[in-house]
Amino acid sequence: MSDLKGRVALVTGGGRDVGAAISRMLAEKGASVAVNYHSSKSGAEAVVAEIQKAGGRQGPTRPIFPTRTSSGK
């Protein structure tokens, strides 16, 4: 992957598992990363802290699309 400096990436599920790994990798390549989460706020904050410590730019974001409940509402 080439240099991503000046690019912005939104990683859904960026606070856990594969999403967290992708968030870190994109930040290492120079992208500003928005770490999106649904229920793992602490995981997203931990990923953000790691990226910031390494000198990257990013921030945690809450869900940007409405989520439905199990009843469909």
Side-chain angles (χ1 to χ4, degrees), residues 3 9 11 15-17 19 23 25-26 32-33 37 39 41 45 47 51 53-54 59 66-69:
D3 181 26
V11 181
R16 295 179 28 170
D17 306 321
S23 295
M25 188 263 320
L26 290 169
S32 295
V33 181
Y37 66 92
S39 60
K41 181 179 179 181
E45 289 172 340
V47 171
I51 294 171
K53 187 174 180 179
T67 56
R68 292 182 177 220
T69 64

Side-chain angles (χ1 to χ4, degrees), residues 11-58:
V11 181
T12 59
R16 295 179 28 170
D17 306 321
V18 173
I22 291 170
S23 295
R24 291 183 198 101
M25 188 263 320
L26 290 169
E28 286 175 13
K29 298 292 182 179
S32 295
V33 181
V35 179
N36 183 258
Y37 66 92
H38 175 66
S39 60
S40 62
K41 181 179 179 181
S42 62
E45 289 172 340
V47 171
V48 166
E50 289 176 40
I51 294 171
Q52 286 177 335
K53 187 174 180 179
R57 291 183 49 202
Q58 74 307 300

